[in-house]
Amino acid sequence: MKLAVLINGAPYTHQAADTAFKFTEAALAKGHEIVRVFFYHDGVHNGSRLSVPPQDERQVQERWSNLATQYQLDLVLCVAAAQRRGLLDESEMRRHDKDAHNIAPGFRISGLGQLVEAGILADRLVVFGH
């Protein structure tokens, strides 16, 4: 089955991000295809390379980056939600004349069209968070 995943919850403040990760990991292990994982609203915080949780806690961003590498997942952060929350890739950094970017490896920034396309290409769109 082809699945698309939408995550609206931030890591460490809402169960949605952890549940979405476990769901995605389990679906891939069972042989399902993940068309795209789209991070929206506070869910974009999952893609920050500057989050530094204590070493004995789960490393949410690192887990997503590793899963993306292992399965060539398309991890997309909503551009408007990301910019509002201070997440920029290198291109957006230059466009907005900022001096740093902070998107974690394996993530990219794009628009809501990517969410719509994922919904069209997938058999199911599974949503985590409000």
Side-chain angles (χ1 to χ4, degrees), residues 12 45 48-55 57-61:
Y12 310 109
H45 288 295
S48 172
R49 68 179 174 88
L50 296 181
S51 78
V52 186
Q55 290 182 346
E57 289 185 11
R58 66 201 186 289
Q59 307 294 312
V60 174
Q61 171 275 312

Side-chain angles (χ1 to χ4, degrees), residues 51-126:
S51 78
V52 186
Q55 290 182 346
D56 61 342
E57 289 185 11
R58 66 201 186 289
Q59 307 294 312
V60 174
Q61 171 275 312
E62 187 177 305
R63 292 189 316 187
W64 279 113
S65 291
N66 290 341
L67 199 64
T69 299
Q70 183 179 356
Y71 289 98
Q72 285 76 49
L73 289 180
D74 188 17
L75 305 180
V76 177
L77 306 176
C78 171
V79 63
Q83 289 178 354
R84 284 187 190 107
R85 290 160 179 85
L87 287 129
L88 303 171
D89 63 8
E90 194 169 344
S91 172
E92 292 300 315
M93 173 195 77
R94 277 191 236 112
R95 189 164 78 97
H96 295 286
D97 198 27
K98 299 292 184 180
D99 61 0
H101 57 90
N102 56 347
I103 300 301
F107 289 85
R108 66 183 179 102
I109 288 181
S110 194
L112 284 174
Q114 297 297 305
L115 174 60
V116 172
E117 181 185 65
I120 292 169
L121 296 174
D123 299 314
R124 299 279 187 274
L125 172 65
V126 185

Side-chain angles (χ1 to χ4, degrees), residues 14-37:
H14 196 281
Q15 184 61 38
D18 289 316
T19 304
F21 178 82
K22 289 294 186 188
F23 173 84
T24 303
E25 187 177 47
L28 290 166
K30 290 285 185 184
H32 297 289
E33 178 184 347
I34 302 296
V35 172
R36 182 168 295 131
V37 180

Side-chain angles (χ1 to χ4, degrees), residues 7-11 13 39-46 81 85 87:
I7 302 170
N8 295 316
T13 59
F39 298 86
Y40 196 38
H41 299 297
D42 284 342
V44 297
H45 288 295
N46 286 276
R85 290 160 179 85
L87 287 129

